[in-house]
Amino acid sequence: PYTSGRAAASAAPPAARPVAGVYVRGIWVRKPLIEGAIMAFWSKLNVSSRDRNDVDAEECADATLAVLRDAARSEAGKAALRRLLAPLQGKKAGSSASGGGSWLLRTPRFTNRLLEAHRPFFLGALGVPAGALFASRRTTESGDPFLKWAAAFLARRGAPLLPLEPGASKALFSEASEDELQERCVKELLAELKKAPAARTDAQQAAAKLLAFVGAESRSLRLHFSALVAVPFAHGAHVFMPATALDRGLLLRLLATLQKRLGRFDDKCVHATQAFFETLPAHGGLSLPQLDAALSRAKQVGVESRAFERRLEVGGGGGAAAAPAA
């Protein structure tokens, strides 16, 4: 019987939709590595296994990255990719690193393989500046004096220190360590000192004398005083101190910083600490001759300490007197 064109069209079966899976040169090979996705590759990927019904996971990850890189070449593609990756930034982005509503992130195992192997690309796709560090409230509100100062200092300097949101991808975003913060602070401080070298002060001369007294590895350290530094710290060959007047407190803080940098219990630091408490005033400024006298006393403390240790070794004293025989 005659059927109108409109009726025939309505009676036609719906067009078949492609099945989710990995396609190589138009041929379905296996289930998708991203849940529900159609992953079609015309190059950069070959089938594997004896039955030619699989693909190498690493090669598939590389081919997927090539597709994402191509997408990021255009502004529209870059914006779309950033929206798909936004849940990786955590709750601030309105979701979590598990993927939320992003089809690209539905399979964490495959996603993490991509993120770990190509971290700089994905950070760039999210608009994160190169070399950025990440700090959570645990760091920015830390009770540790250095961590608290470093976070505030880098933020004021405009250095790339970004907030670490709850739920952010651990493969992309990790809390900056104290060592990383120190390294970034050193970079910023050295750049500032290069523009405006600090004038030589009594505090600097005193610190140089103290480094020479401690000797050994401390002789190779480079000491810097800066008004930008609120908390003494050492990193690599550099020691940074606040640009304050020379007093006993400054010398004791420098000794503590040296001890931490050396990573061991140094006898000379201990001797100097005792001498400073014995000979230097607790408050008020110091002169270089006063420091010289204190260092002379520190040397004497060292002599006394070694003599005491020798007496102990030969049993000649240092302990309590023996109780009389009954």
Side-chain angles (χ1 to χ4, degrees):
Y2 174 76
T3 306
S4 70
R6 178 177 297 178
S10 63
R17 298 185 61 184
V19 177
V22 177
Y23 291 76
V24 178
R25 298 176 185 87
I27 300 173
W28 189 95
V29 176
R30 56 154 292 164
K31 292 181 179 180
L33 296 177
I34 299 175
E35 181 186 343
I38 296 171
M39 305 174 70
F41 305 97
W42 292 95
S43 62
K44 297 183 180 296
L45 187 63
N46 292 303
V47 293
S48 62
S49 83
R50 185 178 64 180
D51 296 327
R52 301 180 68 77
N53 62 351
D54 204 354
V55 293
D56 180 82
E58 290 291 343
E59 290 182 4
C60 191
D62 290 341
T64 302
L65 181 72
V67 172
L68 298 179
R69 287 188 187 277
D70 286 341
R73 295 183 194 281
S74 68
E75 290 302 317
K78 192 181 297 182
L81 182 58
R82 188 166 183 172
R83 286 195 299 273
L84 289 170
L85 297 175
L88 295 172
Q89 293 177 288
K91 290 184 178 179
K92 187 176 181 180
S95 188
S96 66
S98 60
S102 173
W103 64 264
L104 186 60
L105 308 177
R106 286 176 186 163
T107 310
R109 183 177 180 181
F110 185 70
T111 299
N112 288 336
R113 181 192 294 269
L114 286 171
L115 299 180
E116 291 167 4
H118 306 282
R119 185 171 179 265
F121 168 75
F122 288 101
L123 288 174
L126 285 166
V128 176
L133 297 178
F134 305 96
S136 67
R137 292 178 63 183
R138 183 179 63 185
T139 294
T140 57
E141 299 178 7
S142 171
D144 181 278
F146 173 77
L147 292 180
K148 191 171 184 177
W149 168 78
F153 168 71
L154 291 173
R156 287 195 304 270
R157 297 281 297 175
L161 181 71
L162 304 180
L164 182 62
E165 300 296 337
S169 166
K170 293 181 180 179
L172 281 187
F173 307 100
S174 58
E175 184 90 15
S177 67
E178 182 174 351
D179 186 71
E180 288 174 316
L181 290 173
Q182 287 177 349
E183 182 179 4
R184 189 59 54 84
C185 288
V186 168
K187 182 179 179 181
E188 294 291 328
L189 289 166
L190 289 180
E192 189 66 29
L193 288 172
K194 188 174 181 180
K195 290 188 293 185
R200 191 164 178 81
T201 63
D202 282 355
Q204 286 180 304
Q205 294 181 63
K209 286 175 178 285
L210 187 52
L211 289 178
F213 170 79
V214 174
E217 185 184 346
S218 63
R219 293 179 184 271
S220 63
L221 298 177
R222 299 183 61 185
L223 190 62
H224 311 276
F225 283 79
S226 171
L228 298 173
V229 177
V231 179
F233 74 97
H235 181 81
H238 300 279
V239 177
F240 283 90
M241 298 292 296
T244 59
L246 174 60
D247 60 15
R248 190 177 78 175
L250 178 69
L251 295 173
L252 292 172
R253 289 196 297 274
L254 176 54
L255 279 172
T257 304
L258 285 176
Q259 286 268 70
K260 186 174 181 180
R261 170 61 184 79
L262 294 173
R264 54 185 167 79
F265 200 67
D266 187 87
D267 285 343
K268 287 190 175 180
C269 288
V270 175
H271 301 158
T273 300
Q274 178 179 332
F276 290 169
F277 275 108
E278 288 180 358
T279 63
L280 298 178
H283 306 288
L286 300 177
S287 65
L288 292 177
Q290 283 178 293
L291 174 63
D292 291 336
L295 292 178
S296 294
R297 170 57 187 152
K299 293 177 182 177
Q300 184 181 358
V301 171
V303 172
E304 294 170 356
S305 176
R306 289 188 291 275
F308 178 76
E309 290 170 359
R310 284 195 296 270
R311 288 198 303 272
L312 288 179
E313 289 175 1
V314 298

